[in-house]
Amino acid sequence: MSYATKSPWVIHYDGSSCNGCDIEVLAALCPGYDVERFGIINTGNPKHADIFLVTGSVNEQNIKVVQEIYNQMVEPKVVIACGICACSAGIFHDCYNVIGGVDQAIPVDVYAPGCAVRPEAIIDAVVQGLGILDEKAKALEANKKGA
């Protein structure tokens, strides 16, 4: 376990969901499910975040916001698509302004499907994301040493 996975910070963004997944993300962050036991802290600043939790689908109005948040995050970073709308646009896939899931805008590392996604699934996705974050941190460190 590297420094990056001991206390990762999470930034959460709601693309355009019904808010069902947002409530579940907040439930995962609260003491009932206590994702903080993994050292995870919610932040509002992308420059401090290691994990990007996205709920809701990507549409014409928010694609630039999603990309901007992603670009402001420092490497290594992990993106988690929470809920079926973030994974594949869900029930909104036929809407005129919906582009699709989060992977249409930025690369996604972990998918947590569900409508609404359960806090247990979010925690599982975050733990999977921690493994990916550790791999990315090691690869970034190896690239620095090799360069």
Side-chain angles (χ1 to χ4, degrees), residues 63-123:
I63 188 168
K64 297 286 187 207
V65 175
V66 171
Q67 291 170 338
E68 185 68 24
I69 292 171
Y70 178 80
N71 291 333
Q72 287 180 3
M73 292 176 68
V74 179
E75 293 289 343
K77 56 191 167 190
V78 170
V79 177
I80 301 174
C82 292
I84 197 66
C85 293
C87 293
S88 66
I91 61 171
F92 303 108
H93 73 280
D94 284 333
C95 292
Y96 71 96
N97 67 335
V98 172
I99 297 171
V102 178
D103 57 2
Q104 299 297 314
I106 57 175
V108 174
D109 297 298
V110 181
Y111 294 90
C115 186
V117 62
R118 303 287 306 148
E120 296 90 345
I122 295 169
I123 292 170

Side-chain angles (χ1 to χ4, degrees), residues 7-133:
S7 183
W9 286 24
V10 172
I11 186 165
H12 168 239
Y13 178 75
D14 172 28
S16 59
S17 70
C18 67
N19 294 330
C21 292
D22 292 332
I23 293 168
E24 301 299 333
V25 167
L26 295 175
L29 293 169
C30 288
Y33 290 95
D34 193 24
V35 77
E36 285 189 11
R37 69 179 177 254
F38 301 111
I40 295 165
I41 299 171
N42 192 29
T43 183
N45 188 342
K47 294 176 182 172
H48 296 161
D50 302 302
I51 299 174
F52 188 14
L53 286 177
V54 185
T55 56
S57 57
V58 174
N59 60 37
E60 296 292 337
Q61 289 186 337
N62 70 12
I63 188 168
K64 297 286 187 207
V65 175
V66 171
Q67 291 170 338
E68 185 68 24
I69 292 171
Y70 178 80
N71 291 333
Q72 287 180 3
M73 292 176 68
V74 179
E75 293 289 343
K77 56 191 167 190
V78 170
V79 177
I80 301 174
C82 292
I84 197 66
C85 293
C87 293
S88 66
I91 61 171
F92 303 108
H93 73 280
D94 284 333
C95 292
Y96 71 96
N97 67 335
V98 172
I99 297 171
V102 178
D103 57 2
Q104 299 297 314
I106 57 175
V108 174
D109 297 298
V110 181
Y111 294 90
C115 186
V117 62
R118 303 287 306 148
E120 296 90 345
I122 295 169
I123 292 170
D124 185 50
V126 169
V127 171
Q128 288 179 22
L130 290 177
I132 294 170
L133 187 65

